[in-house]
Amino acid sequence: MMITEKYILTFYGLDMKFYSEEYIAQLWEDSANKEYLSSGIYVTGFIDVNRLVCGKVRGCSLGEVAYVISVTRNPIETWDKDAFKESFINVAKDIKVKLENPLMTLSIQELDTHFFTDIE
């Protein structure tokens, strides 16, 4: 059992014609590689494409797609949670700029998790 953090980054209102899941993944990899070269911390992410329901009745016109990138710090690889958080934020900011500053939310949750390498 390990207490760690889960970071959830969501980009809203991106047009899938221009910003595909593969494109977002490539941006993430490029930014994570850049961060790794400067800090030694690699920020691995899982990308999900979700539907956004924001309420046209109330004037919301963000589009229907939200990209959700989830990251869990593995304390075995990076024990310093403040350093990892800084690396995560650096990657998120880099991608936000490359996407021309779409709406974005970031949440951090404390997590009790288990990492398995070998099961005997």
Side-chain angles (χ1 to χ4, degrees):
M1 173 179 83
M2 294 184 202
I3 303 298
T4 188
E5 308 80 43
K6 181 176 185 176
Y7 302 81
I8 302 169
L9 178 67
T10 306
F11 292 108
Y12 299 95
L14 295 174
D15 188 338
M16 286 189 76
K17 288 182 237 168
F18 302 107
Y19 302 109
S20 66
E21 187 174 356
E22 293 79 19
Y23 182 74
I24 301 295
Q26 187 62 56
L27 287 179
W28 188 271
E29 185 173 357
D30 294 346
S31 296
N33 286 341
K34 179 178 154 187
E35 179 61 27
Y36 179 75
L37 291 174
S38 70
S39 71
I41 296 172
Y42 192 88
V43 181
T44 301
F46 295 96
I47 300 173
D48 289 315
V49 180
N50 289 300
R51 297 250 228 208
L52 173 65
V53 180
C54 65
K56 289 182 182 170
V57 70
R58 65 183 186 89
C60 181
S61 60
L62 290 176
E64 296 181 350
V65 176
Y67 288 98
V68 181
I69 303 170
S70 302
V71 172
T72 301
R73 179 180 64 89
N74 182 340
I76 294 170
E77 292 179 3
T78 308
W79 62 269
D80 186 337
K81 75 179 192 176
D82 292 328
F84 187 87
K85 180 180 178 182
E86 182 177 335
S87 289
F88 174 82
I89 289 172
N90 289 341
V91 171
K93 284 179 179 178
D94 191 46
I95 293 172
K96 183 171 171 51
V97 168
K98 289 176 181 173
L99 291 174
E100 300 178 9
N101 291 310
L103 291 176
M104 179 183 89
T105 60
L106 168 63
S107 64
I108 303 171
Q109 303 169 347
E110 189 172 280
L111 183 69
D112 175 4
T113 193
H114 302 265
F115 291 93
F116 298 97
T117 54
D118 292 320
I119 299 177
E120 297 177 15

